[in-house]
Amino acid sequence: MLELIPISLKQANEYVEMYHRHHKATRGHKFSLAAIDGERLVGVAIVGRPVSRHLDDGYTLEVNRLCTNGTQNACSFLYAAAGRVAREMGYKRIITYILQSESGVSLRAAGFICEGEAGGLEWTGVRKPKEDGLYPHEMKTRWSKILQTKGRKQ
């Protein structure tokens, strides 16, 4: 049975470096979560500010990395947990991006809705990674979940 535990950014990034198919570690976060099955770490979620400055409104968070070892339901478990934690922190919306070739079944199971195609085939501008080939050259889709419709909790 899956259980949720907190995890440091350093530990979550180490897991991402070992298991993520196409992304490297992140630089920062608001919080990170881990899924365990018994004593075994089976996945992590790193949640931070939206990468897009246009979406960084102070009320939105982004699941910047989600990585599992393939354990059944671990992805949807972590996406749902990230939404609950963000809501309790007073955020109104949570987003994430997946490759267009990915189905989004775990996101749908966690209550996220596909907003459609987003981003480009590659990074542009001054924030473009210096190492070529780090990220797949494929369109992405943005998914979101509304956490609150009213004002922030007091």
Side-chain angles (χ1 to χ4, degrees):
M1 177 179 228
L2 295 176
E3 290 182 64
L4 187 67
I5 62 169
I7 191 170
S8 71
L9 178 60
K10 181 178 187 272
Q11 292 170 307
N13 273 331
E14 287 170 357
Y15 192 89
V16 167
E17 289 285 347
M18 286 176 36
Y19 294 106
H20 203 287
R21 293 188 314 258
H22 54 80
H23 278 304
K24 297 214 178 266
T26 65
R27 289 184 179 243
H29 74 156
K30 291 288 185 172
F31 63 89
S32 295
L33 302 170
I36 58 170
D37 187 4
E39 296 291 316
R40 190 170 57 114
L41 180 63
V42 298
V44 300
I46 302 173
V47 182
R49 291 171 50 194
V51 172
S52 168
R53 68 176 188 258
H54 302 293
L55 298 175
D56 191 7
D57 59 5
Y59 297 96
T60 303
L61 286 182
E62 180 178 329
V63 179
N64 300 118
R65 297 288 185 279
L66 190 123
C67 180
T68 73
N69 65 359
T71 296
Q72 188 174 6
N73 300 323
C75 288
S76 56
F77 177 81
L78 285 165
Y79 279 127
R84 289 191 310 272
V85 170
R87 182 183 61 237
E88 288 301 316
M89 292 175 72
Y91 289 93
K92 295 181 180 179
R93 181 174 177 231
I94 191 165
I95 63 170
T96 196
Y97 297 85
I98 62 172
L99 296 175
Q100 205 168 40
S101 61
E102 296 172 316
S103 73
V105 68
S106 296
L107 288 158
R108 275 193 291 283
F112 283 69
I113 296 170
C114 183
E115 294 183 346
E117 197 172 84
L121 291 175
E122 60 184 65
W123 286 77
T124 58
V126 296
R127 296 189 334 166
K128 181 177 180 171
K130 290 177 180 29
E131 298 175 55
D132 193 33
L134 272 184
Y135 302 99
H137 293 268
E138 183 179 336
M139 292 301 292
K140 289 115 192 121
T141 55
R142 182 171 56 231
W143 293 72
S144 70
K145 184 175 183 176
I146 301 302
L147 306 174
Q148 299 180 34
T149 56
K150 297 181 180 177
R152 289 185 151 221
K153 293 181 180 182
Q154 297 296 324

